[in-house]
Amino acid sequence: MNHRPGIVPIVAPGAWLRRLCAIVSLAAIGVVAGCMPPQPPRPAMPPPAPAPTRPVTLARHPLSGEQRGFVRLGNLPQEQTPVRIGVLLPFSNGSASTRTLASNLMKAAELALFESKRRNMLLMSADEGSGGADAAAAARTLLAEGAEIIIGPLFSQSVSAVAPIARDHAVPVISFSTDRRVAGDGIYLLSFMPASEVKRIVSYAAQQGHSGFAAMVPQTAYGDRVAEAFRDSVREAGARIVDLQSFVPENGEISQPSSQVAQSKPDAILIAQGGALLGDIASTLAADGAGSQQVQLLGTGLWDDPATAQEPDLAGGWFAAPDPDAEHSFDVRFREIYGSNPPALSVLAYDAVSLISLLASGPPYHRFTPEALSDPSGFSGADGIFRFDPDGTSERGLAVLKVEPGGGFAIISPAPRTFQASGS
């Protein structure tokens, strides 16, 4: 069987021989006896409640066949239906950095399309603009052109505007938002979800013997999501929370929350912050007697920044992030073609198009079903494995990295290569 570059499904060990063709290299794209008395067993944690899912909307105008105005490919026989992919990004956003990000996401999508070698796929772009009405109008344009699936938009308010329009046509949306409130009922979030990072790093720290956790989180929507995930993850790990402090990142006032965290005597502290303020927090904690020499510092994906490795007060800290070795191949290919380094989020657009390429062999208008997109075995992307959960959020196989004393990062717990539980 011939293979094509792109996303590949993750195969459970028992299905190895049946689906050998699913294995593709990451470069192609594309988790004591002694004197002490015996301790009583720890009571079993109750199973977590299943995540609520949105009710499925009944599409009033499902996309089911060719219509006048649908975009065609000149080199495709008339009897074949092309795979039309709508790409909805903020190309004209008021922020220059946002426009640049949108441009690089589009470049990554084009790279995945080229590497798929599929002559029946095309990308149709539309402008998310500043969200709201702009995004809704752009979604209608894409649907009028025959988009069978939509990649984007980037912002949650745009997803909220686009969602009812896409659902009315039974067209799934793969968004890059991290706001899980907009997920579900045909809306899938292919993004770096804070909950996955927090769960990975807290679980790893608990496995290494840490049991008293504290956290410092910003008073932002991101901080709220981290705090929720922190509570859930510590509980699931059978550990305890000794303190949870928030701070206002805009004013940089961290002395009081830092002092309170230090006084709680944790043995691990999660700092959900990046950039210069992360270094300030680490220095303040050290001055309060809870630095990296006394307490295990933990981080989220915001630590995945070269500047983090240069902060001496973060040396020895652990954080969860995609495997840097896996993503290196994508970075190299992007740089060779476009002459610049891709922003971290660019890989999401690459993975989205590669996933669509994998599923594109199905019958037209029935290729991207919830069952196909939410395959529990997951897929192998450019920076590791991922899968969509039934609630529309995504889960990633992440590595745990350590900030080295001399600078740089070292992988201390590799990312898993399958979502299949060991021993199952």
Side-chain angles (χ1 to χ4, degrees):
M1 178 179 295
N2 294 326
H3 307 306
R4 65 176 182 279
I7 294 272
V8 295
I10 300 299
V11 185
W16 177 268
L17 293 178
R18 296 194 304 273
R19 296 175 65 189
L20 182 60
C21 61
I23 304 303
V24 175
S25 67
L26 285 173
I29 172 148
V31 172
V32 197
C35 300
M36 297 298 293
Q39 297 295 314
R42 177 180 293 165
M45 297 295 292
T53 57
R54 293 177 182 267
V56 177
T57 300
L58 182 62
R60 293 177 299 170
H61 306 94
L63 187 66
S64 58
E66 290 292 292
Q67 299 178 24
R68 182 178 301 176
F70 281 10
V71 176
R72 296 285 311 176
L73 285 168
N75 61 343
L76 196 67
Q78 194 66 29
E79 65 274 10
Q80 292 188 24
T81 302
V83 183
R84 303 179 182 95
I85 307 168
V87 183
L88 183 53
L89 293 170
F91 298 109
S92 67
N93 189 273
S95 165
S97 60
T98 298
R99 294 195 303 271
T100 299
L101 175 58
S103 175
N104 281 290
L105 284 164
M106 189 69 199
K107 290 176 180 177
E110 292 168 345
L111 175 60
L113 179 66
F114 171 77
E115 292 186 348
S116 75
K117 300 189 182 336
R118 279 191 171 273
R119 298 182 178 274
N120 67 332
M121 290 199 335
L122 73 154
L123 301 177
M124 308 181 306
S125 63
D127 188 7
E128 176 183 350
S130 298
D134 291 341
R140 291 189 181 95
T141 297
L142 291 173
L143 292 169
E145 293 174 343
E148 215 176 316
I149 189 168
I150 293 175
I151 296 174
L154 185 61
F155 299 114
S156 61
Q157 62 269 30
S158 298
V159 180
S160 296
V162 167
I165 301 168
R167 288 175 183 137
D168 187 45
H169 291 74
V171 170
V173 173
I174 300 179
S175 169
F176 306 130
S177 169
T178 60
D179 187 352
R180 63 184 306 152
R181 294 174 299 180
V182 299
D185 192 13
I187 308 300
Y188 302 88
L189 304 186
L190 182 58
S191 46
F192 298 112
M193 303 295 292
S196 293
E197 299 165 357
V198 174
K199 181 177 180 179
R200 175 70 164 110
I201 194 61
V202 167
S203 173
Y204 178 79
Q207 290 169 5
Q208 307 312 305
H210 296 284
S211 59
F213 288 80
M216 293 183 64
V217 302
Q219 292 182 16
T220 61
Y222 172 81
D224 292 343
R225 292 194 288 273
V226 169
E228 180 183 3
F230 177 69
R231 296 186 187 96
D232 293 342
S233 299
V234 173
R235 183 181 68 251
E236 291 173 8
R240 71 187 192 283
I241 296 176
V242 298
D243 198 12
L244 174 57
Q245 294 291 325
S246 63
F247 57 89
V248 180
E250 287 77 17
N251 62 26
E253 177 49 51
I254 54 175
S255 57
Q256 182 177 359
S258 170
S259 175
Q260 292 184 332
V261 163
Q263 291 174 16
S264 69
K265 303 298 182 183
D267 56 30
I269 302 174
L270 176 71
I271 309 174
Q273 182 62 44
L277 188 54
L278 170 60
D280 294 341
I281 293 173
S283 300
T284 305
L285 285 171
D288 290 332
S292 59
Q293 300 301 313
Q294 298 85 22
V295 180
Q296 181 60 58
L297 300 184
L298 310 174
T300 66
L302 295 181
W303 285 34
D304 193 8
D305 182 338
T308 302
Q310 305 306 316
E311 290 288 348
D313 289 316
L314 291 171
W318 302 338
F319 66 97
D323 188 328
D325 295 335
E327 195 170 352
H328 177 71
S329 176
F330 166 76
D331 292 345
V332 169
R333 300 197 309 280
F334 188 100
R335 190 163 49 246
E336 287 176 347
I337 292 177
Y338 299 113
S340 61
N341 292 319
L345 294 182
S346 298
V347 72
L348 300 178
Y350 180 93
D351 280 356
V353 173
S354 299
L355 171 58
I356 291 170
S357 174
L358 176 72
L359 302 178
S361 298
Y365 313 117
H366 300 283
R367 319 178 216 244
F368 310 115
T369 63
E371 293 75 19
L373 290 168
S374 300
D375 185 338
S377 295
F379 308 92
S380 181
D383 58 0
I385 61 173
F386 69 92
R387 64 181 174 185
F388 292 118
D389 290 332
D391 64 357
T393 60
S394 57
E395 180 182 355
R396 289 184 173 272
L398 301 172
V400 175
L401 285 75
K402 177 182 178 181
V403 182
E404 293 283 66
F409 303 132
I411 299 174
I412 56 175
S413 178
R417 294 184 178 274
T418 175
F419 286 109
Q420 185 77 12
S422 60
S424 60

